[in-house]
Structure formats: structure tokens, C-alpha cells
Amino acid sequence: MLFKEITVTNQVGLHARPATFFIQKANEYKSSIWVEKEGRRVNAKSLLGILSLGIIGNTDIRILADGPDEQIAVDGLAKLVESGFAE
């Protein structure tokens, strides 16, 4: 299992539109992927799960992955979040 801690930099955080982009990207990978905020972990492939974390701008999160493409998954999702979802 691999993980990476990052800060969500876009001002609005992971609201509906960026969360949808995040989930679509997560579903490209075979690995099991989770997002963790303040000790609470949800499935990164679940819109309700991601939205339930209430991730706003300047929030630290952890992306975790376990599976055959875990390194690529963690790196790809971290890159998407760090890009600010082009907002």
C-alpha cells in the first residue's frame, strides 16, 4: 500500500465538479483507492464518499492505493489535485 499527503489548493476544494473529475480519474485504475481526511477514510471511487469528507481549499488529505497500479494511481490523483482541477 502506498500513500501521499497533499494539500487541496483550489479555493472551493472538492465540491461536486472537481470531485467528479477526481472519481473519474480514480476509476481509471485497478487498485483500491481511498482518500483520508482527519483520520476518516472513504472510497475514492465514490462521489458520496468524497463529498462527505467536506474537503475545502487548503485542506490536507492523504491519497492511499493498494493494488497492481498503486504507484501510478497515487501519482496521477495527486497531480490532478495539485493542478487545482484547472479552476
Side-chain angles (χ1 to χ4, degrees):
M1 178 180 289
L2 295 176
F3 70 90
K4 185 170 187 175
E5 293 188 29
I6 57 172
T7 301
V8 177
T9 57
N10 65 322
Q11 292 183 347
V12 293
L14 278 176
H15 66 84
R17 186 170 167 258
T20 300
F21 292 148
F22 187 88
I23 292 157
Q24 288 172 343
K25 185 74 171 170
N27 277 301
E28 293 177 9
Y29 306 109
K30 294 179 181 178
S31 295
S32 297
I33 307 169
W34 302 273
V35 175
E36 205 173 73
K37 175 191 160 200
E38 299 170 353
R40 193 160 160 246
R41 184 182 293 184
V42 299
N43 182 344
K45 298 178 182 182
S46 164
L47 180 60
L48 286 177
I50 297 294
L51 293 176
S52 75
L53 290 177
I55 299 168
I56 59 173
N58 290 326
T59 299
D60 294 327
I61 63 170
R62 180 182 287 183
I63 299 171
L64 306 97
D66 187 25
D69 54 358
E70 60 191 21
Q71 184 68 61
I72 297 167
V74 168
D75 291 344
L77 290 167
K79 184 176 177 181
L80 177 64
V81 172
E82 290 167 347
S83 77
F85 301 93
E87 290 192 330

